[in-house]
Amino acid sequence: MEAALESPRGAVKLPRAVQKERRVIPFPEELKRFDLRMSQGDDPQKKVFLLIDGDDEAQRRWAKTVLDEEARQKGIADAQVVLISGKRSLVLKELGNHAALVRVLLDQGGQMRRMLGVSALPVRAAFSLEGWEVEAEVLEEHA
């Protein structure tokens, strides 16, 4: 049971993104008829997911950098980290002070990866009124 909580079941290793790519996966027309607002007001909040390989140190650092920036801008980091592969314990250690507040989810069976059409990592996916905004990030190597 403990191993099931550490790494995603059916994990696959994906390559790193070699070019920045942004696309929107729109909601089906029948869903657009409903009010999909996730908050009150004219500026709905976006739910953000950071999809990473937890075994890749550079991707763990990228997730922490994104969370640090989010905390500076909003006062709290509320993006969720989704492990496509790798170990949750490594990610939690890297997140440091964010580890207590940020959820680290496991992409069990690759469901989220397939739904979003992810073929390279890391990816920032935001759930908005238009649909899923999916953005592959290119990481710079630090010597």
Side-chain angles (χ1 to χ4, degrees):
M1 172 104 168
E2 195 169 310
L5 300 175
E6 179 67 10
S7 298
R9 181 181 66 249
V12 297
K13 289 289 184 183
L14 295 176
R16 280 197 195 167
V18 293
Q19 69 181 31
K20 192 170 179 97
E21 175 192 352
R22 185 178 186 285
R23 59 194 164 80
V24 175
I25 302 171
F27 289 123
E29 286 300 318
E30 58 270 13
L31 288 180
K32 290 182 180 179
R33 287 180 280 163
F34 297 103
D35 183 10
L36 297 174
R37 292 189 186 274
M38 293 174 275
S39 69
Q40 299 299 323
D42 294 329
D43 187 24
Q45 296 175 348
K46 289 183 180 178
K47 192 63 177 168
V48 176
F49 298 88
L50 307 175
L51 287 74
I52 66 168
D53 176 346
D55 289 334
D56 185 329
E57 184 179 354
Q59 291 185 42
R60 294 192 310 264
R61 282 194 313 266
W62 171 80
K64 182 173 187 317
T65 301
V66 171
L67 294 169
D68 288 344
E69 183 61 29
E70 189 178 54
R72 273 192 293 281
Q73 290 178 356
K74 298 197 293 187
I76 187 168
D78 62 0
Q80 297 182 28
V81 177
V82 179
L83 291 185
I84 301 301
S85 61
K87 292 188 173 24
R88 181 187 297 213
S89 58
L90 291 173
V91 174
L92 289 171
K93 183 177 177 182
E94 185 78 39
L95 294 181
N97 60 339
H98 297 300
L101 300 173
V102 173
R103 294 180 70 186
V104 177
L105 308 172
L106 305 176
D107 187 26
Q108 300 290 20
Q111 291 179 330
M112 190 169 199
R113 171 184 54 84
R114 284 192 306 278
M115 178 183 72
L116 298 175
V118 173
S119 59
L121 297 171
V123 165
R124 178 193 322 247
F127 184 73
S128 71
L129 293 178
E130 292 78 35
W132 284 100
E133 298 171 9
V134 181
E135 189 169 353
E137 299 285 339
V138 176
L139 301 181
E140 294 181 21
E141 292 297 327
H142 298 284

